[in-house]
Amino acid sequence: MRVELLCTGDELVTGLTTDTNSPYLEARLFELGIKVSRVVLVGDVREDITQALREAAHRADVVIVSGGLGPTADDFTAECAAVAAGVPLVEDAGTLQFLRERAAKRGRELTPNVARMALVPEGSEVVPNPVGAAPLFIVGMGGCRLFFLPGVPREYRALVDGEVMPRVRNELEKRPGRTYRAFRLLRTVGIPESVLDARVAPLAAAHPRVVFGFRTHAPENQLKLMAEAPSQAEADTALAAAEKAARQELGLAVYGTDGDSYPGVLAKLLTEARATLSLAESCTGGLIAAQLTGVSGASNFLLGGAVVYTEPMKTAWAGVSPELLATHGAVSRPVAVAMAEGIRAECKTTYGLSVTGFAGPTGGTAEDPVGTVYCALAAEGAPTRCERFSIAGDRDLVRLFAASYALELLRERLLTPPSAP
Amino acid sequence: MRVELLCTGDELVTGLTTDTNSPYLEARLFELGIKVSRVVLVGDVREDITQALREAAHRADVVIVSGGLGPTADDFTAECAAVAAGVPLVEDAGTLQFLRERAAKRGRELTPNVARMALVPEGSEVVPNPVGAAPLFIVGMGGCRLFFLPGVPREYRALVDGEVMPRVRNELEKRPGRTYRAFRLLRTVGIPESVLDARVAPLAAAHPRVVFGFRTHAPENQLKLMAEAPSQAEADTALAAAEKAARQELGLAVYGTDGDSYPGVLAKLLTEARATLSLAESCTGGLIAAQLTGVSGASNFLLGGAVVYTEPMKTAWAGVSPELLATHGAVSRPVAVAMAEGIRAECKTTYGLSVTGFAGPTGGTAEDPVGTVYCALAAEGAPTRCERFSIAGDRDLVRLFAASYALELLRERLLTPPSAP
């Protein structure tokens, strides 16, 4: 079944409003196995709306239209629908009565502009709006059914959930050979998108029912798996097999799935391990602390975080000796190690994590140019691990990846504790 | 000039991602007086993309296409562009060289999937990507010019600002009878949107050429002023008059304009005052430090930031006495004051800023429920100022506004130093 969405309104094409209605409906339809094939946004221009309606009705089985059903001068979607369908506008008696009673309840007369909301294309099915004034109306054009909804998000969602989805589900169940879908998002860190692709691509042949997709949301790369099959059980089975194969290939790089967040996953690991953490951040400047404290319950494991932008504070809070700083410079392996060990001692935590580097755009040396970052993890009864990273990109990106790489040292340790000596 | 946008990607039609690229570009175009006539989102389906390209090129003068230019198997927008334009894909030598050097810098070989990003429709104008791998390419189809950009927001915005907008502006200046527009965004903090609206609305009548618009981007509220006139000089004059009136009404709440960032403005004030700052953050957990250190040069004024989530660390780093904590509790006026004064003494800075509160969802007391935040500012030669705030919203929002309110204490002080005794 081919479904398209059409949203009208000047605010949607001038950057004033982000269309959040469509993603809501798309997700609801996707749960039914329907991938929306096109979303169109047009401004409040009669010819554009009419033309877009005709084109969509020509291509799709179902079109869900929103916006332009209100009482003001720039609301003329019903008018365009009538023109596109080649029928006149007629007054719907039930809606008129409803609008009159609604006005009376508020102690008002029914004004002509509000009464306009009762005008619908001839032959429409009209469905009352449970949370607002303008009704939903449904128009047939050729083989296509077009649903017209108000654009106000609260009304849109109520009508989508209560009226549109049941009708679409009904329609779908009448069709032979419908496709069932199952979906999984695998969230990875630490491997570039091109490497992720190269490692996963060879799996595709063995999983013909599954589409492998990729998405970048720095510092994450996400692998999207979508299975399609003639029954839900087959889609679920195909998805499970592809997910297993992908996980085998990607190993620890997969930190979570679907709605998981990286700080949330790490917080869970720390809490389960009954471990505590302290941070000494130089170039990330509090970014790691801010990410972790975004999780409710962070006070259970994050005992302290020091933003040590200057050498005296590295000494005062992370116990880095002035001699070490003078000998090696603040951005160096020995200083990163001393920061991690010093902050752990200062805060008396299971783990101490440190970051020092050149975030840019200024700074850096010939040996350690802008983008060079040292991260270190100190832990009880194990040697401190320190890694050097070269991060390409601007200041924001260097900081973002520096935070991610540092936290990865910790996540790896929590998942694969070093064997006892 | 008729401009359409076309965005590709399964994530855009399955509810996974909200398209934020288009509103960004729409706003930029609207500043030039161009209202985008249509936005189309399609999934990763070759025929759909190709068809949408053909239709858009047929209707519009300029089409800006995004997404599907990456190195993975579901990136095939260039291929579709070539099919729609009826030309073969060819390898762009400059891009190939750029990709090879980029890989080498990262110590990697150029893999075949990355090399695919050098394939563009024959006859394209190719423009390097300043912040990523995939280039911008521009294709002519009939009377229409199509710009192809990566969908990654950072890359999209850089190419829109640096390459697309100058070309569109150029094109526009060649056309007769246009409307001229002038635009100003006034960025405010500390006043709710409804109050902003109520204070500014009475100005509209005196400025008929200026449209007053509002936008919320927590914790900011923004006032958008757009002047329209038959000449640029008239538009500029009308805008200047409206801006003056709005500033008079809003006073210090206006912290900046257009592309200013709050941390950037504060960093400038601190640097100009040759002042230094230290932070003691409890419920904001490093958020203030992370915001300020996002500004290059933050090391000139931010000497240290302490994330003191636990009572022992409040004592160790911010010098808050255990007795004070026991008597008043960690979320209290006396503790906020002690944190600000203690961190200032510890870091030897001009100012010490502290935040302590209940970010939720758990915690809080009958007197100080979730959302209660105390912020304090300690300074040399002036009494410490402490304010209590009640913030509605979830954990993220409480933290965001707590950080904003705390920084506002500092900004106000920098703009209006207390008079000498």
Side-chain angles (χ1 to χ4, degrees):
Chain A
M1 190 155 86
R2 207 180 148 93
V3 179
E4 295 198 11
L5 315 188
L6 173 62
C7 311
T8 71
D10 274 348
E11 70 281 7
L12 297 174
V13 294
T14 52
L16 269 176
T17 304
T18 301
D19 170 32
T20 54
N21 284 342
S22 297
Y24 178 79
L25 176 52
E26 290 162 15
R28 298 300 316 272
L29 289 166
F30 199 63
E31 289 164 23
L32 285 189
I34 296 171
K35 187 170 101 176
V36 165
S37 50
R38 189 185 290 224
V39 180
V40 175
L41 316 180
V42 289
D44 293 319
V45 180
R46 280 185 176 77
E47 311 81 72
D48 287 354
I49 296 175
T50 308
Q51 189 189 357
L53 284 170
R54 283 199 180 114
E55 292 168 0
H58 185 71
R59 283 185 303 253
D61 303 304
V62 168
V63 180
I64 295 148
V65 187
S66 60
L69 302 186
T72 64
D74 57 359
D75 291 311
F76 37 66
T77 301
E79 212 179 288
C80 298
V83 172
V87 297
L89 275 181
V90 295
E91 199 166 68
D92 182 67
T95 303
L96 196 66
Q97 182 59 20
F98 166 77
L99 293 172
R100 191 171 287 126
E101 285 166 11
R102 196 168 184 273
K105 257 189 229 160
R106 291 157 195 229
R108 291 203 283 263
E109 290 286 304
L110 182 62
T111 59
N113 55 352
V114 171
R116 276 181 63 226
M117 289 194 275
L119 295 174
V120 298
E122 192 176 59
S124 301
E125 178 189 348
V126 181
V127 181
N129 181 336
V131 295
L136 158 69
F137 58 86
I138 305 166
V139 181
M141 277 174 67
C144 178
R145 280 177 93 194
L146 296 95
F147 295 73
F148 291 82
L149 286 79
V152 182
R154 218 169 63 88
E155 303 180 24
Y156 181 87
R157 290 178 185 209
L159 284 164
V160 160
D161 292 346
E163 304 294 340
V164 177
M165 292 307 297
R167 284 173 173 79
V168 169
R169 192 177 292 115
N170 230 330
E171 193 75 24
L172 204 61
E173 272 158 15
K174 284 192 240 152
R175 294 180 177 239
R178 71 168 271 215
T179 299
Y180 290 79
R181 292 198 167 101
F183 180 85
R184 176 68 22 93
L185 189 74
L186 295 182
R187 296 173 172 271
T188 77
V189 279
I191 37 178
E193 190 185 16
S194 56
V195 175
L196 181 65
D197 182 32
R199 284 166 65 178
V200 168
L203 305 178
H207 300 274
R209 277 185 165 156
V210 179
V211 179
F212 291 71
F214 301 92
R215 204 169 95 193
T216 293
H217 186 79
E220 285 188 26
N221 284 302
Q222 302 164 352
L223 171 62
K224 302 180 298 177
L225 302 174
M226 190 177 67
E228 296 189 332
S231 76
Q232 192 61 52
E234 288 167 287
D236 290 343
T237 306
L239 179 68
E243 181 179 346
K244 193 178 164 196
R247 280 181 179 275
Q248 227 145 29
E249 185 57 44
L250 299 173
L252 286 190
V254 177
Y255 82 78
T257 58
D258 301 335
D260 286 342
S261 80
Y262 189 91
V265 166
L266 201 60
K268 195 157 167 278
L269 288 173
L270 281 163
T271 307
E272 284 170 0
R274 294 167 191 273
T276 54
L277 176 66
S278 52
L279 304 168
E281 300 186 59
S282 184
C283 69
T284 49
L287 198 58
I288 299 179
Q291 286 176 1
L292 292 177
T293 57
V295 181
S296 178
S299 52
N300 292 330
F301 58 83
L302 186 67
L303 301 197
V307 178
V308 285
Y309 239 49
T310 56
E311 303 205 346
M313 297 322 297
K314 288 187 177 73
T315 302
W317 286 345
V320 183
S321 79
E323 296 71 36
L324 200 73
L325 286 161
T327 311
H328 301 281
V331 178
S332 64
R333 190 176 292 270
V335 167
V337 169
M339 283 167 67
E341 294 176 350
I343 201 73
R344 189 177 100 76
E346 170 90 5
C347 298
K348 302 179 184 65
T349 50
T350 323
Y351 297 104
L353 192 61
S354 73
V355 189
T356 179
F358 294 113
T362 58
T365 64
E367 265 174 39
D368 288 330
V370 165
T372 303
V373 172
Y374 293 89
C375 303
L377 176 70
E380 205 171 3
T384 295
R385 179 178 169 199
C386 179
E387 298 288 340
R388 178 184 187 275
F389 301 97
S390 297
I391 304 170
D394 62 15
R395 182 178 178 89
D396 285 349
L397 223 52
V398 171
R399 284 159 44 92
L400 200 61
F401 277 98
S404 173
Y405 291 150
L407 289 171
E408 274 295 275
L409 295 185
L410 178 61
R411 192 174 68 93
E412 281 175 27
R413 178 66 55 92
L414 287 163
L415 290 172
T416 54
S419 45
Chain B
M1 189 154 86
R2 207 179 149 93
V3 179
E4 294 198 10
L5 315 187
L6 173 62
C7 313
T8 73
D10 274 348
E11 70 280 7
L12 296 175
V13 294
T14 52
L16 268 175
T17 303
T18 301
D19 170 31
T20 53
N21 283 343
S22 297
Y24 178 78
L25 176 52
E26 290 162 15
R28 299 300 316 272
L29 288 166
F30 200 61
E31 289 164 26
L32 284 189
I34 297 171
K35 188 169 98 176
V36 165
S37 51
R38 190 184 290 223
V39 180
V40 175
L41 316 179
V42 290
D44 293 318
V45 180
R46 279 186 177 75
E47 309 81 71
D48 287 355
I49 296 174
T50 308
Q51 190 188 356
L53 284 171
R54 283 198 181 114
E55 293 169 359
H58 185 71
R59 283 186 303 253
D61 303 303
V62 168
V63 180
I64 294 148
V65 187
S66 60
L69 301 187
T72 66
D74 59 357
D75 290 311
F76 38 66
T77 300
E79 214 178 285
C80 298
V83 173
V87 297
L89 275 181
V90 295
E91 199 166 68
D92 182 65
T95 303
L96 196 67
Q97 182 59 21
F98 167 76
L99 293 171
R100 189 171 287 125
E101 284 166 11
R102 196 167 184 274
K105 258 190 228 159
R106 289 152 197 235
R108 292 203 282 264
E109 289 287 303
L110 181 63
T111 58
N113 54 356
V114 171
R116 276 180 64 224
M117 290 194 274
L119 294 176
V120 298
E122 192 176 59
S124 301
E125 177 188 347
V126 181
V127 181
N129 181 336
V131 295
L136 157 71
F137 58 86
I138 306 165
V139 181
M141 277 175 68
C144 179
R145 281 177 92 193
L146 295 96
F147 294 74
F148 291 82
L149 287 79
V152 181
R154 223 170 57 87
E155 303 180 23
Y156 182 87
R157 291 178 185 208
L159 284 165
V160 159
D161 292 346
E163 304 293 340
V164 177
M165 292 308 297
R167 283 172 174 81
V168 169
R169 193 176 294 117
N170 230 329
E171 194 75 24
L172 202 63
E173 274 161 13
K174 288 190 228 149
R175 294 172 182 243
R178 58 173 287 213
T179 298
Y180 288 80
R181 291 195 167 105
F183 180 87
R184 176 67 23 94
L185 190 73
L186 295 182
R187 296 173 173 271
T188 77
V189 280
I191 38 177
E193 192 185 15
S194 56
V195 175
L196 183 64
D197 184 23
R199 284 166 64 176
V200 168
L203 305 178
H207 300 274
R209 275 185 166 157
V210 179
V211 179
F212 291 71
F214 300 92
R215 209 166 91 192
T216 292
H217 186 78
E220 283 187 27
N221 284 304
Q222 301 164 352
L223 171 63
K224 301 184 303 173
L225 302 174
M226 190 178 68
E228 295 189 331
S231 76
Q232 193 61 53
E234 287 166 286
D236 290 343
T237 305
L239 179 68
E243 180 180 347
K244 193 178 165 196
R247 281 181 179 274
Q248 226 147 28
E249 186 57 44
L250 299 172
L252 284 189
V254 177
Y255 81 78
T257 58
D258 301 336
D260 285 342
S261 81
Y262 190 91
V265 166
L266 201 59
K268 194 156 168 277
L269 288 173
L270 281 164
T271 307
E272 284 170 357
R274 294 167 190 272
T276 56
L277 177 66
S278 53
L279 304 167
E281 300 185 60
S282 185
C283 68
T284 48
L287 198 57
I288 299 179
Q291 287 176 1
L292 292 177
T293 57
V295 181
S296 176
S299 52
N300 292 331
F301 57 84
L302 186 68
L303 302 196
V307 178
V308 287
Y309 239 48
T310 56
E311 302 204 347
M313 296 322 296
K314 285 185 178 74
T315 302
W317 287 344
V320 183
S321 79
E323 296 71 35
L324 200 73
L325 286 161
T327 311
H328 300 281
V331 178
S332 64
R333 190 178 291 270
V335 167
V337 168
M339 283 167 68
E341 293 176 351
I343 202 73
R344 188 175 101 78
E346 171 88 7
C347 297
K348 301 180 185 67
T349 49
T350 322
Y351 298 103
L353 193 62
S354 74
V355 189
T356 179
F358 294 114
T362 58
T365 63
E367 265 175 40
D368 286 332
V370 165
T372 303
V373 172
Y374 293 90
C375 304
L377 176 70
E380 204 172 5
T384 296
R385 178 177 170 198
C386 179
E387 298 288 339
R388 178 184 187 276
F389 301 97
S390 298
I391 304 169
D394 64 13
R395 183 178 178 87
D396 285 348
L397 225 49
V398 171
R399 285 158 44 91
L400 201 58
F401 277 97
S404 173
Y405 291 150
L407 289 172
E408 273 295 274
L409 295 186
L410 179 60
R411 192 174 67 95
E412 280 174 28
R413 178 65 57 93
L414 287 163
L415 290 172
T416 55
S419 47

